[in-house]
Amino acid sequence: VAVPILKQGSFLIASVQSALTDAEMVELRSSLTERVSRHRSRAVIVDVSGLDVIDSFTARTLQDLTRAVRLKGAQAVVVGIQPQVAFAMVQLGLFLEGVTTALDLDEGLGLLMQREARVHAGE
Amino acid sequence: MSDGGGSVTELTPRLSAEEQAALKDVWAVYERHYDEIQEATLAAAEADPHLRALLAEQRAGQHRSDPAASRRLLREALQEGRWEGLLESLREQGGYYARLGLPFSSWFVVVTAAQRVLLNRLFETHAADPPRLLAAITALGIFLFDVTLAAIGDEYLRTRESVIEQQQAAIQELSTPVLPLRPGLIILPIIGTIDTGRARHLTEHLLEGIRAYRAKVVVMDLTGVPAVDSAVANHLLQTVRAARLLGARTVVTGISTQNAQTLTRIGVDLSGLITTADLQGGIEEAEWLLSSLRAERGATAVDATGSAAPRGD
């Protein structure tokens, strides 16, 4: 597998270390979605801090992933988009609508734990 | 400073054979009366307040110009028609003095002083041969003004332009500070008009700021932006979206009544933005956003008092 997927409690963490081909990106989407069912995960974090470029295909696949994971009752957070990557993305009109984002893995985990806490508090 | 743009060849005079020949006469007179010309130009320079100050400074420090070298370059140009060395040296001097802030008009003082002596001596030398005299005077004019002052002036313009560019960059740098207000919250006050170049700089600056301060909320204050049109609005929307990709929410504040009306009239959709009337409201909104985040997180760890004390994360 090109991208290691770690299981951390009820979260899955996929850390993209280097540029992925379209096929690898699709594989990541499928295997993450599949593992959400297998591990009954509550959330998925995709760390893209290793990417120098996020093109339209990657952006769309991340959006698809978010939707697919959500259909299984879990959440998805994309973390670690580099400033210059973010700048290039908005220039290309890639805004990742509907995708939750966070600065890095730490913030992403914090965000998810807050949401979990809110769910448990019955809000 | 002789890099880029115009090359020396661009400034090389296109002289007819007669003009180049007449320049030899000029050179002969110049060479013969070299000391007198030096004296006259120095006297003229001493009379000019700007040049006097500069000369005093140069005397105090090491003397920069090398009379023998410039004399050789002059001979190459006037006698042999090889202009490259002279033009290069003129441009170098032009750039040097432009950076020192010597007004360009001071060059006229020096050049006309030299011209006066040269004209006098040319008249003496060639009084018996008016056509030759006329040719020499014409050639002198071309040499002094079309070549010498043009080359210096060209470099003056180039130097001043580069100074202006540097200052613009400096102003731009100064005008988009990213201010951390408290953990997780930064303020970006924008002052002045926004064009594409500045919007780009601003966005890059903000994104770096978000990462550096680990900001979760950004307050972007537009109180100092005179006009917000659709182009500016689109730039700002891009900035907000880019910030969101880094996980930061943006509160836009200080859109004036007039700008608000303009934006609604031209139909720019800003519905995705959190906006407040003024900076105060923006900071309150940002605090609320932050405290809701903090309270949620606090539910698992500490008690959710909503206090603004910095968290140790």
Side-chain angles (χ1 to χ4, degrees), chain B residues 222-228 253-263 276-277:
Chain B
L222 305 183
T223 312
V225 180
V228 180
T253 72
I255 299 178
S256 69
T257 312
Q258 206 187 340
N259 283 335
Q261 282 171 341
T262 312
L263 287 173
T276 64

Side-chain angles (χ1 to χ4, degrees), chain B residues 16-30:
Chain B
S16 64
E18 291 80 23
E19 283 167 338
Q20 189 67 54
L23 277 175
K24 288 183 184 170
D25 283 344
V26 173
W27 168 251
V29 170
Y30 177 90

